[in-house]
Amino acid sequence: MNTHAGQTLPATAIPDGCLPWSTEDTRRWTRALPPGWIPVPRVGLRVLKLVLAVGVLAALGLTTDGLPPYLAAWAGLQLVWLQLRPELVRVSAPLLALVTVVLRPAPVVPVLAGALVLNAACLAVAALRLRARERQREAALAASGGVSALPPGADLLLGRGRFLFVLGMTLIAAGVPVAATAGVWDDAEGRRAAMVAGCFVAGLGVTALLSGVLGRRRAAALRAAPAPVLRVLMRETRHGDAKVYAADDIGGLRPLFTVGVTPQDTPPAENLAAPQAAPHAPTHNTPHPQNSAPSPTTDPMTDAMAEAVADVLTDVVMDAADLGPVSGRDDDRPGPLREAVLYGAPHDGAEVVLVGAPSEPGGAPVAQRSTGPVRPLSEGAVRRRLEREKRTAARTAAEDELHLGLVETALRAKPVPVRRWRAGAVDRLAGLLMVVGAVPLCWDTFVDGDTGLWKRILVLLFGLFGAFRLPVKLCWRLTADRTGLWLNGLRGTTHIPWDDVRSVRRESLELKLRWGGDEAWTVSAPRWAWFQRARGLTHPYDALAAEVTAMRTDPALRPTGDSEERDRGRPLWPLAVPLVLAWLTAVLAGWTGFPGR
């Protein structure tokens, strides 16, 4: 394959007879995908947003007086299953329709009509996705030419499903008590909301358990027998996912699918050095992993569970960063295309193993197992991603050009004894907007309206968050001296030596400072790019980032003196405590009724 020598897979890591998955072969696979209007979500923040949206729908839109709360939660869960586990919809849709017909909740005609339409649509969509899976699997098997090999690490303990097991048990433990204690609420609305919320959360727990069991069985089946193998190209993303391309798509123009991956449970060198079964030539007697019974394995709760939790949390956090434009970050750049061997027949929901070329010349190949199901990318999804990447690339180029220009200007400055930056007009505007947006909501919740308990608790927590965040917005201070940077926060002042500073950039509306391993500090403020261009203005965050970057790049520009304690700012918690007390007092007064009301 025409890839860089540093990303080429050694011949010893490629099973004998393994065929390249060419663009011509992948066309049959992509044609087998379900229609483009059927979304296949990527695991991460978008799944959490889906769950939250459906939960709100179940709690608010389906809780009519005649509809039992558990039925409303069930209907909401089915929308989640339709996206994540269409296998369950084949059973749940007919059963939900039957239960609705038997119970005949009021109003009878609208509820029955809605239930029949909803369940019929869900069943049809699930059938399309499941049928597409079979076509994708058949296309992948045909492309492999019947060549199979035992995946590396087949004798290792499985780590798949541990996090989902813990998550499922936690959600069930949280949802069941909420539903069981719904009778403690005084009003009917509170009892119904508690029952729906408890059933929905417990149902999510059951969903997580079933997903963990299903993923574990598929992963065990993949490693229990020789699996189809294909030579492909892969590229890792900052989300902890791998994008897989056709073997001859050296430009990386058309990703076929994404899948969450993590290194095998032992070092990759050990995985690849482990004895493997000899590749099999095409034969009707070669068992396929999808048809093999999973071997019984134990699942002790070890440190691998903590690693799985960290992987998922990292995916969610990094996905959250994708909500807005970003720039100037090394991990935003897509990774290089690398040769890889794909073990398993890829299809929507499949488990796979990837053995990729070393990222460094002379390194060992990297064996990675899937941490989630394969998620195919339709033509529409690829087109939207390319358009989004083009917009992001253009925005990133403009941001980089602006940043480099400001850094060049800062490099011509003369060093000073101590340099200080602090919150300014844009930060005060951000604090004012925060307060102005919160006051009407709080007033309506605690004074003017007969609001339910759930909303009051949420607004209470929102206010506490604002009370701790507002002092940071209005009183942050960053001081540079010859030893490094001094940053004040709620608990105290943090010293960051110059050698530990990784980057300082404005990203969208945020000023982000990174140092050490994964340490970071952010503060946000409004920004209007068109207004700045029209007036020839520089955002304070851009100027700060350029100055600190210049000092980090050229030690001769760093301050020459030592800062005093009063220059570094003080802990901000003394400012947050009065705000917290004032907020709690106002909430208590609004809750119990202001005098004269």
Side-chain angles (χ1 to χ4, degrees):
M1 286 184 273
N2 297 325
T3 57
H4 191 275
Q7 292 102 34
T8 300
L9 199 61
T12 55
I14 302 175
D16 293 337
C18 181
L19 300 177
W21 201 12
S22 64
T23 300
E24 182 178 354
D25 292 330
T26 60
R27 289 196 184 100
R28 178 184 174 188
W29 190 86
T30 54
R31 285 196 298 267
L33 297 176
W37 54 268
I38 298 180
V40 180
R42 181 171 58 81
V43 175
L45 185 67
R46 290 171 179 82
V47 172
L48 298 182
K49 290 164 63 177
L50 166 69
V51 170
L52 292 176
V54 171
V56 171
L57 175 66
L60 300 180
L62 299 174
T63 53
T64 61
D65 293 338
L67 190 64
Y70 69 86
L71 206 60
W74 188 355
L77 285 168
Q78 184 159 277
L79 296 179
V80 176
W81 298 335
L82 185 64
Q83 295 288 306
L84 304 182
R85 290 299 173 195
E87 305 94 332
L88 300 179
V89 177
R90 292 185 298 184
V91 178
S92 67
L95 189 58
L96 178 58
L98 178 62
V99 171
T100 306
V101 171
V102 172
L103 294 179
R104 298 176 62 85
V108 177
V109 175
V111 171
L112 289 181
L116 293 176
V117 171
L118 174 66
N119 287 286
C122 290
L123 193 60
V125 171
L128 287 174
R129 283 190 63 183
L130 295 176
R131 178 65 187 115
R133 287 183 177 183
E134 292 299 323
R135 295 196 302 267
Q136 294 162 28
R137 179 175 170 272
E138 293 170 0
L141 287 174
S144 70
V147 179
S148 61
L150 194 65
D155 56 340
L156 301 176
L157 289 177
L158 279 175
R160 186 77 169 93
R162 287 173 177 163
F163 171 76
L164 290 175
F165 174 79
V166 175
L167 176 63
M169 296 301 295
T170 303
L171 291 175
I172 292 174
V176 171
V178 172
T181 57
V184 302
W185 303 102
D186 296 333
D187 57 307
E189 178 184 353
R191 290 192 295 271
R192 178 175 293 277
M195 181 63 73
V196 172
C199 293
F200 186 73
V201 172
L204 291 177
V206 174
T207 303
L209 287 177
L210 292 176
S211 297
V213 171
L214 187 59
R216 186 177 181 81
R217 287 181 60 85
R218 289 175 176 172
L222 175 64
R223 304 200 296 185
V229 288
L230 287 165
R231 295 173 64 182
V232 296
L233 296 178
M234 64 172 290
R235 167 181 287 161
E236 293 186 53
T237 73
R238 64 187 177 94
H239 301 285
D241 295 344
K243 287 184 179 180
V244 175
Y245 302 79
D248 54 355
D249 186 8
I250 59 176
L253 302 178
R254 206 312 185 179
L256 302 172
F257 62 86
T258 63
V259 60
V261 293
T262 189
Q264 294 274 22
D265 295 341
T266 59
E270 296 181 16
N271 293 336
L272 296 175
Q276 298 187 20
H280 293 262
T283 171
H284 296 291
N285 297 325
T286 301
H288 189 267
Q290 297 293 341
N291 300 326
S292 303
S295 58
T297 56
T298 58
D299 189 13
M301 303 304 292
T302 61
D303 292 340
M305 182 185 69
E307 296 177 3
V309 173
D311 291 341
V312 173
L313 293 180
T314 300
D315 177 68
V316 171
V317 171
M318 297 306 292
D319 199 6
D322 197 40
L323 294 177
V326 291
S327 61
R329 294 168 47 178
D330 294 337
D331 55 357
D332 284 335
R333 314 302 188 198
L337 279 174
R338 296 185 290 141
E339 288 187 2
V341 173
L342 172 68
Y343 290 81
H347 57 80
D348 179 16
E351 301 285 334
V352 296
V353 171
L354 285 165
V355 177
S359 56
E360 298 293 337
V366 181
Q368 297 173 300
R369 61 176 176 84
S370 55
T371 59
V374 166
R375 298 299 184 190
L377 297 174
S378 64
E379 295 292 345
V382 172
R383 184 172 59 254
R384 291 189 294 270
R385 282 182 178 229
L386 289 176
E387 292 174 353
R388 184 168 63 249
E389 289 175 0
K390 289 180 181 179
R391 293 194 300 267
T392 302
R395 186 164 47 239
T396 300
E399 297 287 350
D400 288 345
E401 183 179 359
L402 172 63
H403 179 69
L404 291 176
L406 294 175
V407 170
E408 290 180 1
T409 302
L411 288 172
R412 295 192 292 267
K414 296 181 179 180
V416 296
V418 177
R419 183 71 171 94
R420 308 175 188 86
W421 302 269
R422 63 178 64 196
V426 292
D427 301 283
R428 291 190 288 272
L429 177 60
L432 177 62
L433 293 176
M434 183 176 177
V435 173
V436 169
V439 167
L441 175 63
C442 300
W443 185 270
D444 178 70
T445 301
F446 294 104
V447 180
D448 284 349
D450 185 15
T451 310
L453 181 62
W454 290 101
K455 185 177 179 181
R456 294 191 178 194
I457 293 176
L458 290 176
V459 174
L460 170 64
L461 297 177
F462 170 76
L464 291 176
F465 169 79
F468 282 105
R469 189 61 185 169
L470 199 58
V472 176
K473 281 183 172 294
L474 300 180
C475 302
W476 65 266
R477 181 182 296 186
L478 186 65
T479 304
D481 62 13
R482 68 179 185 85
T483 65
L485 299 175
W486 298 85
L487 175 66
N488 70 331
L490 283 173
R491 293 180 294 178
T493 303
T494 302
H495 181 237
I496 309 170
W498 284 113
D499 291 340
D500 291 346
V501 178
R502 291 172 51 199
S503 65
V504 185
R505 285 297 300 266
R506 176 195 55 77
E507 300 171 4
S508 186
L509 304 180
E510 290 185 338
L511 172 66
K512 181 164 287 190
L513 167 64
R514 296 182 178 87
W515 71 92
D518 297 320
E519 300 290 337
W521 171 83
T522 61
V523 65
S524 59
R527 175 180 179 269
W528 295 276
W530 60 270
F531 182 77
Q532 291 176 212
R533 289 193 297 267
R535 297 290 183 176
L537 302 176
T538 300
H539 197 279
Y541 289 177
D542 287 320
L544 187 158
E547 291 185 54
V548 176
T549 300
M551 295 178 185
R552 174 179 174 270
T553 304
D554 187 357
L557 298 177
R558 297 171 185 174
T560 57
D562 292 319
S563 60
E564 299 181 3
E565 187 174 355
R566 57 187 173 86
D567 295 327
R568 302 168 186 168
R570 298 178 179 178
L572 299 177
W573 66 263
L575 299 177
V577 170
L579 293 177
V580 171
L581 295 177
W583 171 245
L584 293 176
T585 302
V587 168
L588 181 61
W591 216 318
T592 58
F594 286 102
R597 282 185 61 193

